[in-house]
Amino acid sequence: MSDQTIGNPQCLEKLAKKNPKYEHIKSKLDTGPNLSNFVEKKLKTYLRYSKEELFKRMKVTALAKLMLQVASIAELEENEPGKKQPDPGVVSVQPSCFHRSTLQSVICGVGELDLKSDMQNAAKETLVPTPDLADRPYPDCPYLLLDVRDDELYDHCHIISSHSYPTISLCRIINPYTKEVLDYRNAMGKIIILYDEDEKLATQAATIMCQRGFENLYVLSGGLKAVARKFPRGMTTGSFPAACLLLPVSKGKKCCKVQPPPQPAETRQRFTSDELSILQQRLEEMNNNSNTSSKNTQSF
């Protein structure tokens, strides 16, 4: 008999080919504290997932933290020392070359070269007013916030830096998406967040958009109702809808808070310094309350 072994001894070292059909299935074995488990737990604290939903969810507190980070980074970049900042009210325009009349216009007796008028027009074009800083979005903003309610409701109240994008826009056969939506669609490092009053319209719109190929789509959990409960000031402009301010009572009746006179919403893309400080203070209050509650539960 020969001393040769049966089979290849390295066959056990071969790795099985991965089947893309089962790539989404993860092991339920707890491997202990490691980096992947830590990152997954951190994501679950800010985002919520559901097996039946094609999109992801974002908490209102996570959105507030994201807004503060974007505003602080934009302020640092724009106020960077040594960087020349343009005047927000005036932008310089290079005077264009004098338009010389064509042969046909000269024949007709119009369009002759007039140095004096051209110089006056060039002087007028050197100072052109630009939109205020509040109307301009943050540079390289990583999120696009879309209000899927009707335009009338958007004009009464909406989250600052959001764009109006009613759900009826998805029913269009031609150009169902705005330029901003196309720029953020599946872009690296950017997300799209949908919201409404109670996330009913937002979930429907998000499902349709995910079925059409959107992969970086989020829905704001709770909508404006959650914003009114956690951030009554600082995050929105205008007056909250009455449905967002109703609180249930134990007797089965509903009591309504005393509402200030309604104010129209402002269309702007940036937060003021006061609004950012209000958001920061509110986040610190909620963090302190959660820490005290956790300490009380541990004491029992």
Side-chain angles (χ1 to χ4, degrees):
M1 295 180 64
S2 63
D3 297 336
Q4 294 180 355
T5 57
I6 300 174
N8 188 359
Q10 297 180 352
C11 65
L12 297 177
E13 298 179 3
K14 274 188 177 181
L15 296 177
K17 294 183 178 180
K18 293 184 179 181
N19 191 342
K21 184 178 179 181
Y22 303 103
E23 282 186 353
H24 64 283
I25 299 178
K26 296 182 180 179
S27 174
K28 295 183 178 179
L29 181 65
D30 188 6
T31 56
N34 52 42
L35 183 60
S36 59
N37 290 345
F38 176 77
V39 172
E40 188 174 357
K41 289 179 181 178
K42 273 292 182 183
L43 286 176
K44 286 182 179 179
T45 57
Y46 293 107
L47 308 175
R48 292 193 298 176
Y49 299 87
S50 179
K51 296 180 180 179
E52 301 176 355
E53 295 175 344
L54 302 176
F55 50 86
K56 307 176 188 68
R57 289 179 174 270
M58 176 177 285
K59 295 181 180 180
V60 178
T61 53
L63 178 61
K65 293 178 182 178
L66 181 60
M67 289 174 169
L68 288 172
Q69 291 177 356
V70 171
S72 61
I73 293 173
E75 184 179 0
L76 289 175
E77 291 181 352
E78 292 175 351
N79 297 332
E80 185 179 354
K83 186 176 180 181
K84 186 178 180 181
Q85 298 296 330
D87 191 351
V90 173
V91 62
S92 62
V93 178
Q94 296 294 336
S96 58
C97 296
F98 299 134
H99 300 285
R100 296 187 179 274
S101 56
T102 60
L103 178 60
Q104 184 66 30
S105 61
V106 172
I107 293 172
C108 297
V110 295
E112 290 86 1
L113 182 64
D114 190 353
L115 292 176
K116 186 177 181 180
S117 63
D118 285 337
M119 290 293 291
Q120 292 176 355
N121 293 334
K124 290 179 181 179
E125 290 178 354
T126 54
L127 297 179
V128 179
T130 58
D132 294 334
L133 190 63
D135 297 336
R136 292 185 292 176
Y138 293 109
D140 297 330
C141 187
Y143 68 90
L144 177 65
L145 195 58
L146 299 179
D147 192 321
V148 296
R149 301 173 299 158
D150 295 336
D151 291 332
E152 184 179 355
L153 298 175
Y154 175 84
D155 294 336
H156 283 85
C157 176
H158 61 262
I159 299 177
I160 301 171
S161 76
S162 66
H163 299 261
S164 179
Y165 185 70
T167 52
I168 196 172
S169 303
L170 296 172
C171 301
R172 299 174 184 168
I173 300 176
I174 301 175
N175 297 330
Y177 308 119
T178 60
K179 180 183 180 300
E180 292 82 9
V181 175
L182 294 176
D183 291 341
Y184 277 77
R185 177 177 180 174
N186 300 336
M188 183 67 68
K190 294 185 178 182
I191 60 174
I192 302 175
I193 309 170
L194 308 182
Y195 79 92
D196 60 351
E197 285 188 9
D198 51 6
E199 75 181 38
K200 290 182 181 178
L201 292 175
T203 52
Q204 296 175 4
T207 302
I208 295 173
M209 295 175 71
C210 286
Q211 291 174 349
R212 294 180 181 179
F214 284 80
E215 298 177 356
N216 57 341
L217 210 60
Y218 290 79
V219 169
L220 186 63
S221 296
L224 281 177
K225 288 186 176 179
V227 175
R229 186 174 66 253
K230 295 185 177 181
F231 297 94
R233 295 172 56 246
M235 186 177 285
T236 58
T237 173
S239 301
F240 281 105
C244 299
L245 300 176
L246 293 176
L247 298 174
V249 185
S250 59
K251 295 181 180 179
K253 298 181 181 180
K254 292 184 178 181
C255 67
C256 183
K257 291 184 178 180
V258 178
Q259 301 181 19
Q263 298 178 355
E266 301 175 3
T267 305
R268 50 191 172 92
Q269 297 298 314
R270 298 197 179 198
F271 293 86
T272 62
S273 58
D274 294 337
E275 291 167 344
L276 293 174
S277 61
I278 291 172
L279 291 179
Q280 182 66 38
Q281 183 179 0
R282 181 60 181 154
L283 283 172
E284 292 175 357
E285 290 176 358
M286 288 190 290
N287 189 22
N288 294 334
N289 292 336
S290 62
N291 291 336
T292 52
S293 61
S294 62
K295 288 181 181 179
N296 292 335
T297 53
Q298 289 177 1
S299 62
F300 287 109

